Amino acid sequence: MNEMLIIMKSELLITIIIFLLLFIKLGKGMTNDSLLILVQFLMLLNFIAGFFFNLPGNLFDGMYHTGPLIAFQKNILNLGVYLISLLFADWFRKSEHLTEFFILLLSALLGMFLMISSGNLLMFFLSLELATIPVAALANFDLDKKKSSEAAMKFILSSAFSSGILLFGISMVYGATGTLSFELLPAQLNGNPLQVLAFVFLFAAFAFKLSIVPFHLWTADVYEGSPVAVTAFLSVISKGSVSFIFLTALYKVFQPMNELWYNMVMILSIATMITGNLFALRQQNIKRFLAFSSIAQLGFILVGISSNALEGTSSVVYFVLIYVFSNLAAFGVTSVISSRVGKENIDEYRGLYQTNPFLCWVMALALFSLAGIPPTAGFFGKLFLLTAGASKANYTFIIIAALNMILSLYYYLKVIRAMFMEKNEKPIEKIRLYPSVKLGMVICAIGIILTGLLSWVFDYIQSLH
Amino acid sequence: MNLLLLILIPLFTAIAVLLMRNPQHIKWVALTGATTQFITALWLLLAYQNERAAGNHFQMLFEQRYNLFTSWHISFHLGVDGISTAMILLTAFVVIAGVLVSWKMTKMTKEFYFLLILLSLGAYGFFISLDLFILFFFLEIAVIPKYLLIGIWGSGNKEYSANKLALMLMGGSALVLVGLLGLYFNSPERTFDLIRLSEIGISTETQKICFPLLFIGFGVFTALFPFHTWVPDGHSSAPTAGSMFLAGISMKLGGYGCLRVATYLMPAGAKEYANIIIVLSSIAILYGAFTTLMQKDLKYMNAYSSVSHCGFVLLGISMLTKTSMTGAVMQMISHGLMTALFFAVIGMIYERTHTRQINEMSGLLKVMPFISTIFFIVGFCSLGLPGLSGFVAEMTIFMGSWEHPDAFHRIATIVACLSIVVTAVYILRAIGKTAMGPLKEGYANLTDASWNEKLAAVILVAGIIAIGCAPFWLNNLVGPDTQLIMQKILLTQ
Amino acid sequence: MPNVTYITLIPLLPMAGFIMLGIFGRKYFKNTSGIIGTVLLLISTMLAIHTAYGYFFEYGKLDGIYQKMIPLHYTWLEFSKGVSIDMGIILDPISVMMLVVVTFVSLMVHIYSLSYMKGEERFPTYYAFLGLFSFSMLGLVLSSNIFQIYIFWELVGVSSFLLIGYYYNKPNAVAACKKAFIVTRFADVGFLIGILILSFYAGTLDFNLLIQKLTSPEASEFKNAVTTSFLGLSGLTWGLILVFIGGAGKSAMFPLHIWLPDAMEGPTPVSALIHAATMVVAGVFLVARLFPVFSMSTTALNLISYVGIISALIAAIIACTQTDIKRILAFSTMSQIGFMMFALGVSGFGGENGIGFTASLFHLFTHALFKALLFLCAGTVIHYIHSNEVKDMGGLRKYLPITHISFLIACLSIAGIPPFSGFFSKEEILLAAFQHNIIIYFAALITSGLTAFYIFRLYFHIFWNKPAIVKSDHKREGGLSMILPLILLSIGAAVAGFIPFGHFVSSDGSTLENTLHIEFSIAPVILGLTGIFAAMWLYLKQNNRPQKIAASMSVLYNIVYRKFYIDELYLFVTKKILFKLVGRPAAWFDKNIVDGLVNLTGNATEYISNKIKVVQSGKVQQYAMYFLFGIIGLAVLFIYIWK
Amino acid sequence: MIQPGLYQILFISTALFFIGIYGFFTRRNLITILMSVELVLNSVNLNFIAFNKYLWPNRLDGVFFTIFIIAIAAAEAATAIAIIINLYRSHQSIDVENAEEMKY
Amino acid sequence: MEGSTIIFYMLALLSLLSAVLAVTTRQIFRAAIYLLFSLIGIAGLYFWLQYEFIAAVQIVIYVGGIVVLIIFSIFLTQATGEKLPKQKYGSQLFAVLAAFCGFTVTVLQLFKYSFKQTDLPHVEPTVSNIGNMMLGLTENGYALPFEVVSILLLAAMVGCIVIALKNKSLKKV
């Protein structure tokens, strides 16, 4: 029993925090500022706790399992949530339902944890829903903004649709194999057409969560309409967690059909990169822009996933770690500007460097990292994804991926250009950052630079297997 | 000699620059860093030659290796041979001159010097790394500083140029990346180590796939026709020091890569594709020269002439003879010094006359004899006057190319030879219009070079003359290593 | 044995002068630079004479044959085994002879310029450039390696460029120096390729080895070179022709001569030195240097002869109509070099056969003296009149007596009137031509008559014709420094013909007796005298005969006056063809096609991205529909198509 | 008529599924769209039950799955309706075409 | 022809037909009622399959919960008598096409597949069995999913409350 508590420690911690927040809410409540500090503190504790007492194990008849790699993945997500609690202080302070916000956020996080740990399609489905439905509610948290409810509506409907698809796929898998367990499934899979069909349904649901073309269409609208914090959560934490479980699903569960999914991943990866980039190219709204760019990033993750090897897992996990830093930094800057000045257009960023060099450098670092420019960690991340993907010696694929890096560089540079090069009579005025935001940005910046240069990070991830 | 110094000095300089506030101090810090680096480079040359003289016959000297990303078998492997020593020397020359030339930079001084030093860091790292991954890392490090240098401090259609440059260079490096990955996965053992890869050999099929990727990829950096269009725009929009770095150092990264990575590792591939590259580089040489002829803007002119001159580098490499490869390396050094100086001079002139249009200037010799004299010298170097470095390099390439007795190579060589006439035409045209002729009205009060500009010019001229008058030391420095590359090529059937 | 240090110092002293004056001249030697340069060159000249004396009379001969000596040899740049550019010194009759000529004429010019160029703002620079030129020219003649000669060849070209463009603020001078450089550069490409070809066959760049390998019929290199053929000519011939093109460019042979008349925009002493006496004969020197190899290829030699004679004839004809004093002299130079060239062309190798060779170099020698003299005289005249146009001159014999006499001597010499030096050398050339090729001989005869005519036309124009219009304010003939060279050169021009040249210089180093056949000389001398009298009739007194004659043959006259429209042809080729048909399309191509493709990629991307935006319609149902289509597509693809 | 069995039920559930999807695609009222989703989920439930009944009665996986799906459907519907009501407040309409502000 | 077969087909017809009507009728209230019928039909099928517990859950939660919720929300947001706007033919065509294609592919594959059957002993879906397993921790235990769902419902509740009860603040502003 004790052992079980330790094994499920991260989930339990989150649950405890959720209930703590619930009691605070039910009690007399707290001011936003103190609550925020409390939450930040708790998240930090939670993050730190993630490094200790990690026990691998299998619980509930294999429905739940964990190991060093999964623990590390959860730590990445914890880190992301901690950073979110730091970076979006501007928005949090104005929010009226901060407690509920974090309750929902943490429920979703809990769902993700369970999802990563799930060893069974039922658990997977349930935790996926747990990770989705609260987020849909969160997307509506800019209660007085039309766009926010529109985003939430689109999100909940799309994900309901995708749940339907997923369930249909699961039901077919169940019918064809008689089992839902990740352990037992591989033995039953033989790649006959029905299984392929079932796999396509399942795959599509994953693809939906990962915003892979052509299942990505909800992404941009939802990102644009949601509060920045939710967008960041969706684009970083949610994507990260789904890629982790996707790895397990492909490498472990559907291993017998790896030829099939390799091709599928390849096609969709190419489509995703190209589409994401092409759409990102012409965005003016920075959130939308980041949405499409993150779609393209997901295409890259698929490149890594396609390798079907140890390197694939490590490079994806590594990339997600870097992605947490980079994308959160970018969203952090966006959020500061959007909640202070209400400007979200790239054009309005012109001349920002004259007034806010710190923000600009953070943004630049983040974007360079996303674009894969050394010495930022994104360079290593992308390179390892490509390296992993290249192990199949499919050069066309890799060349397309590499060329897409250029395309993506083009639009990242657009933002850089606006901030650094273009002149503006009335640039955004100087913004004094909250300490926590500054702290978050510094952490991100350090992460962006050091995660790559300190090569043992990758080796450590590799060793977790 | 610890090669890490070559990376650490610019790194610390860059950090120091970031920490400074007073622009005046920043300049001095940057200059100190560049000078230290310059001395280190000279020291490296001496140490290298001593070591060789003492009979050290390892292929690479001063090797160091630190494991990095062990799971990918990547290591931080450093080492130099004659070619890289020469390239480092070139970089040191250009960097110090670049820092000196931009002494009067007032706009965002800190960022400017930071980026310059970062760029040089990339170049140094590139030249000393023996691990392809690290090499690629440094190659890419050098791209974004260029973009920002052009975009923030540039002139003209700078944003367009900066974009084009960054994207095309990234495109090149993307190809390089794919090529490197191909090598990595298709060699008998997974390694990025240059020396190891050359020892274990790469199968011919792989070479046939990877060679074009790597060569074209690096070729983009070296203005391989038809991937050269970033050169004119990029160079002409960049600030003076930016152009100097761009043409003097950055384009050499590509040439070095073509030689050290593509040709050295994949001799069979090099043989397979040599003819195509010869055709392309011959076109670049002559076509670049003719295009230069039509330019009216000094910077554009020099940029296009760089296309032509870098065509020599690629021609030399793809001719696959020891002499021509030596010539290619010499041409890289020579062109690096020369074109940096050229841009420096153009910058000086522009600073005073506020125009770069050839037709709008006249008689500058009268009011700025020093600058004009340098202009003459660099022009003569460009058109291959004996006693200056350009001649030595070009002749070595010609001699090397001529070693192939068949008509194809002959024609390519002759085409290349013909370009020196065209070069003469455009150089003389530029000099004749700007430096010579009656003094234009309103120019009477222009001043000659200031101390920093003089110093920068003198340093570069010294380099040019040192090679031009005594090419043997460079030949001896580079020759054995090109010989080594040649041996590998000869060994493949 | 030769003293290497001395010989090395001969070129290095002027070089030292160049560096010193070039870098510090403007600051520290504003006024003394002329003296410094002259003194340095004086030392050089002494050393050269010392060397020549030593070579010709002390150690040069072995078994009655002058040897080629290489006292200094230093590998400068090694390409591959055996093939390297070496810096060395070769001593043989021609190089030693050239040493003397170059240093002597150069010294004369240095001295002359002391007063001629006085007061120029860039006086130190002038002397620096002169030093550079002397260095390069001396290096050229001493070269032991064919690439070394190319290096100095280029340096000579650039010094010529710098000196022609000395008056850099005169647009004409700028144009002229560019033209000179570019035209010779063009020819140099030929030279360069020629070098490549020869070195490829010989496997060496060293003159001695190269000649040895390419002339011995047993050597495999030679066989190889002769048997490979391209477009009907053997490899060797191609190499030689290309090398000759280089020589022709520098020596202003037809059709590469167009730069020479324009080069007269430079200071007159410079014209005397570079464009009359020394640099322009470099082509002749080059052919002579490689003569043993040239003699292996009849085709190449024939080409040389015809190019030479055509140049000689054309230049002489043009010279008859020009009105610029320096241009006339320039054409005359071209004509005389044509003589030297075809003399080489009609020469054989060795013994009596090699009379053309000796004659050519003899003429080179005498020509250097009298042509330098002519130019320096012209300089004095120009200095005095401040104009280059003959119509501004006339009747100057009273005002410039020394110049007058010197000029007359030079004119008689060039016209081939005995006993002046030109007579002897020209006679020998004609003899050689007569022995080998009768057509060339007759053409040469006509040319020599024309020579006499045009040179005396000039002479009468300047010194007789009409009364002098004197507006000059300064003293008559400049200082001593301007007169002294005239006198020294006049003496040279007058007596140099009596030197037994064949004793010193011959194609194979053995002694060649100068044979002077009185009966053979009658025809040319009479022709020369005819020319002189014709000139006298037309130009001694001011009259309208010349205009009448010109009017009566106006078309012809105009064609000749416009130099056969060769300049215009070149202009057409460069401006219309190179710039408009090659350069402009290349630039256009680059801007629109290559660059256009890059931009097109960008624009196409933008366009596509704009077009596909409808997919992102904002309608959640459509999103779901795409979702379903995606599934169906994947399912169909992987179930039915791609199994 | 054929004896009803697994395939018949599968046919019904698949038909239901795609009817639901059709509804999802075509309805313009958000609540009706939600209703279509419910249809879809029900078809899945039917699938699970049928498979459990006919093929894999050794465990109750299908049954439990169905139970959980029903629970989730409830949660989903509740959240969705809350969002829709909120949307109605700001848009005064629950027509899906009035909520297309964000696009391209 | 057995009675159960007839019942089966009638149930099938009921659920399919009312489902079709539910997604096509232009009166929103009727649509809800049709949905109700369809769900009841499905519940009937569960009965037919002898999964009484599931049938009961279906009726309680769906019919009693969700549909009621839906009807409430219809009342909240819509004048009941109002007809829904017509759908566009183009989008309908595509929808039919998509649904039909999907249906064809799926049904083809399902019917082509020869399903395996287990030969292990059956477990009856009785209420006690289900109840025991639902809270079982070990083998065949569904305690963890149960907890997850409970958290999910909690979260959904919190979310719904925040979203639906927001207007106090809005009115203040």
Side-chain angles (χ1 to χ4, degrees), chain B residues 129-275:
Chain B
S129 43
L130 292 181
D131 187 280
L132 295 179
F133 184 89
I134 305 301
L135 184 114
F136 183 71
F137 173 76
F138 283 118
L139 177 71
E140 289 228 324
I141 273 199
V143 173
I144 288 304
K146 293 176 211 163
Y147 173 79
L148 293 173
L149 279 174
I150 295 175
I152 300 178
W153 293 273
S155 57
N157 198 357
K158 56 183 186 176
E159 279 140 25
Y160 169 76
S161 312
N163 243 341
K164 188 148 125 185
L165 171 128
L167 294 178
M168 288 194 72
L169 291 189
M170 283 313 261
S173 57
L175 293 183
V176 169
L177 172 61
V178 179
L180 292 184
L181 294 181
L183 286 185
Y184 178 71
F185 283 108
N186 289 296
S187 58
E189 101 188 35
R190 291 198 172 177
T191 175
F192 278 118
D193 195 295
L194 190 89
I195 305 298
R196 188 79 196 112
L197 275 174
S198 83
E199 280 166 8
I200 56 185
I202 296 151
S203 72
T204 315
E205 295 76 53
T206 313
Q207 295 196 15
K208 279 182 187 163
I209 298 170
C210 292
F211 181 82
L213 289 171
L214 279 171
F215 201 96
I216 294 175
F218 282 121
V220 174
F221 283 77
T222 323
L224 171 69
F225 179 86
F227 305 106
H228 64 269
T229 57
W230 64 271
V231 178
D233 290 326
H235 286 56
S236 51
S237 299
T240 303
S243 310
M244 290 168 71
F245 276 40
L246 212 55
I249 306 173
S250 173
M251 286 176 84
K252 307 302 165 291
L253 301 183
Y256 180 82
C258 284
L259 186 65
R260 167 57 40 86
V261 182
T263 312
Y264 175 62
L265 287 183
M266 295 178 285
K271 274 189 161 175
E272 177 87 14
Y273 294 101
N275 286 356

Side-chain angles (χ1 to χ4, degrees), chain C residues 613 616-619 621 624, chain D residues 24-25 27 96 100 102 104:
Chain C
K613 72 175 183 187
Q616 195 79 36
S617 58
K619 299 185 189 347
Q621 290 165 307
Chain D
F24 191 94
F25 289 169
R27 307 307 303 235
V96 72
E100 290 170 5
M102 294 177 289
Y104 302 137

Side-chain angles (χ1 to χ4, degrees), chain C residues 359-374:
Chain C
S360 169
L361 290 170
F362 191 19
H363 196 58
L364 189 159
F365 181 70
T366 56
H367 173 255
L369 296 173
F370 62 67
K371 190 46 71 62
L373 179 54
L374 278 174

Side-chain angles (χ1 to χ4, degrees), chain D residues 1-4 6-12 14-16 18-19 22-23 25-29 31-32 35-36 38-39 41-42 45-46 49 51-61 63-64 66-68 70-75 77-79 81-83 85-86 88-89 94-95 97, chain E residues 5 8-9 12 19-20 22-25 28 31-32 35 38-39 42 46 48-51 54 58 61-62 69-70 73 76-78 84 86-88 92 95-96 99 102-103 106-107 110-111 113 115-118 120-123 130 133 140 142 145 149 152-153 156 160 163-164 166-167:
Chain D
M1 264 195 198
I2 315 152
Q3 182 71 28
L6 176 63
Y7 289 97
Q8 280 70 18
I9 297 182
L10 285 182
F11 183 86
I12 295 166
T14 316
L16 264 179
F18 283 101
I19 290 168
Y22 169 79
F25 289 169
T26 53
R27 307 307 303 235
R28 285 178 52 184
N29 187 301
I31 294 176
T32 44
M35 284 154 63
S36 314
E38 300 305 332
L39 276 179
L41 294 179
N42 266 286
N45 286 348
L46 196 53
I49 296 296
F51 283 132
N52 200 332
K53 165 91 183 171
Y54 287 103
L55 303 176
W56 314 104
N58 55 325
R59 287 168 59 103
L60 291 181
D61 284 342
V63 172
F64 277 99
T66 310
I67 294 170
F68 288 123
I70 293 172
I72 297 259
T79 316
I81 283 172
I83 290 170
I85 288 174
N86 192 25
Y88 176 73
R89 287 207 190 102
I94 50 169
D95 195 319
E97 290 188 3
Chain E
T5 314
F8 174 84
Y9 282 112
V20 170
V23 298
T24 50
T25 178
I28 188 163
L35 176 67
S38 181
L39 295 180
I42 291 165
Y46 294 152
W48 188 87
L49 286 166
Q50 293 158 350
Y51 276 56
I54 301 297
Q58 167 90 354
I61 296 185
Y62 263 115
L69 196 62
I70 285 174
S73 62
L76 262 176
T77 57
Q78 198 96 12
L84 294 174
K86 261 194 179 170
Q87 288 133 359
K88 284 176 198 144
Q92 251 180 325
V96 170
F103 178 71
T106 318
V107 165
L110 281 172
F111 279 35
Y113 189 79
F115 287 101
K116 283 185 294 184
Q117 259 180 304
T118 181
L120 294 169
H122 296 193
V123 179
I130 291 174
M133 284 170 142
N140 292 336
Y142 287 85
V149 169
L152 173 57
L153 289 170
C160 292
I163 294 168
K166 64 137 194 189
N167 34 4

Side-chain angles (χ1 to χ4, degrees), chain A residues 311 353 368 372-374 379-380 383-384 386-387 390-391 395 402 406 409-410 413 417 421 452 455 458-459 462, chain B residues 68-72 108 111 133 136-137 140-141 144 147 151 159 163 167 170-171 174 177-178 181-182 185-186:
Chain A
E311 284 88 17
Y353 190 74
F368 283 144
I373 305 286
F379 169 78
F380 296 96
L383 210 61
F384 293 153
L386 287 183
T387 312
S391 59
Y395 292 109
I406 309 165
L409 181 64
Y410 172 70
L413 287 182
R417 195 165 71 192
M421 300 174 189
S455 70
F458 184 83
D459 293 331
Q462 182 93 322
Chain B
L68 209 66
F69 297 107
T70 32
S71 21
W72 293 112
M108 291 159 79
E111 287 83 352
F133 184 89
F136 183 71
F137 173 76
E140 289 228 324
I141 273 199
I144 288 304
Y147 173 79
E159 279 140 25
N163 243 341
L167 294 178
M170 283 313 261
L177 172 61
V178 179
L181 294 181
F185 283 108
N186 289 296

Side-chain angles (χ1 to χ4, degrees), chain C residues 371-426:
Chain C
K371 190 46 71 62
L373 179 54
L374 278 174
F375 266 108
L376 292 186
C377 292
T380 312
V381 172
I382 295 168
H383 200 59
Y384 190 69
I385 293 286
H386 293 295
S387 165
N388 282 9
E389 285 296 313
V390 281
K391 61 174 184 286
D392 296 339
M393 301 167 186
L396 288 177
R397 61 188 182 282
K398 286 178 200 140
Y399 300 93
L400 305 168
I402 299 171
T403 315
H404 175 220
I405 303 296
S406 312
F407 200 85
L408 185 59
I409 292 173
C411 286
L412 289 170
S413 187
I414 195 175
I417 305 300
F420 297 100
S421 57
F423 165 73
F424 296 95
S425 49
K426 202 179 261 181

Side-chain angles (χ1 to χ4, degrees), chain B residues 160 164 226 228-229 287 294 304 323 366 380 383 386 391 396 399 402 421 428 437-438 468-469 471-472 475, chain C residues 76-79 83 121 150-151 154-155 158 168-169 181 185 189 192 196-197 200 583 589-590 594-595 598-599:
Chain B
Y160 169 76
K164 188 148 125 185
H228 64 269
T229 57
Y287 164 89
M294 304 311 292
Y304 271 111
T323 315
K366 177 104 182 156
F380 285 141
L383 57 76
F391 171 81
T396 313
M399 287 301 289
W402 201 260
V421 187
L428 292 187
C469 290
F472 36 81
N475 194 26
Chain C
W76 190 65
L77 177 61
E78 188 172 25
F79 294 126
V83 182
E121 194 199 339
Y150 181 78
I151 289 175
E154 292 288 316
L155 284 176
V158 85
Y168 64 89
N169 41 10
F181 194 86
R185 182 82 175 177
V189 173
L192 178 62
L196 293 175
I197 294 176
F200 173 75
F589 183 82
D590 200 77
V594 182
D595 220 11
V598 175
N599 291 340

